[in-house]
């Protein structure tokens, strides 16, 4: 629980625009997922000696274990990136 620093493992994911490894995010619990396919891990955090998945992404599915709305500037940037991504995809769908 508390603040931890991200390590981006999929740094080119659109959600990470203007986000960098080392940005702080806020966790309100100690649960974490262990994906069977490590390729879907988009970011990790290390707490003590344990490194765990903090975010996953594959195709159009993205999920975070931390709370972006509580994660200060980095979280607001991620939420803004998500809205921009949705709007871009919506415009592309309407154009077809």
């Amino acid at each position: 629980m508390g603040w931890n620093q991200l390590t981006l493992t999929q740094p080119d994911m659109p959600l990470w625009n203007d986000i960098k490894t080392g940005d702080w995010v806020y966790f309100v619990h100690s649960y974490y997922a262990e994906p069977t396919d490590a390729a879907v891990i988009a970011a990790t955090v290390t707490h003590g000696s344990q490194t765990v998945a903090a975010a996953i992404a594959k195709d159009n599915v993205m999920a975070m274990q931390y709370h972006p709305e509580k994660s200060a500037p980095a979280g607001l940037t991620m939420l803004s990136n998500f809205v921009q991504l949705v709007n871009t995809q919506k415009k592309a769908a309407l154009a077809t």
Side-chain angles (χ1 to χ4, degrees), residues 32-53:
Y32 63 91
E34 289 187 43
T36 55
D37 180 2
V40 303
I41 299 173
T44 62
V45 293
T46 301
H47 185 72
S49 62
Q50 186 177 28
T51 299
V52 298

Side-chain angles (χ1 to χ4, degrees), residues 1-91:
M1 291 177 51
W3 292 93
N4 214 321
Q5 291 178 286
L6 287 177
T7 299
L8 305 180
T9 55
Q10 293 182 19
D12 297 328
M13 186 175 76
L15 205 59
W16 301 151
N17 289 341
D18 297 321
I19 300 294
K20 59 189 177 313
T21 287
D23 281 349
W24 291 87
V25 293
Y26 190 74
F27 292 79
V28 295
H29 49 72
S30 59
Y31 301 114
Y32 63 91
E34 289 187 43
T36 55
D37 180 2
V40 303
I41 299 173
T44 62
V45 293
T46 301
H47 185 72
S49 62
Q50 186 177 28
T51 299
V52 298
I56 61 169
K58 183 175 180 177
D59 303 325
N60 67 336
V61 175
M62 295 169 258
M64 299 170 230
Q65 191 64 28
Y66 53 90
H67 286 259
E69 76 282 4
K70 297 181 182 287
S71 296
L76 293 176
T77 299
M78 290 174 212
L79 292 171
S80 177
N81 289 342
F82 180 77
V83 169
Q84 184 176 3
L85 180 62
V86 169
N87 286 338
T88 299
Q89 290 181 350
K90 183 177 177 181
K91 287 178 187 174

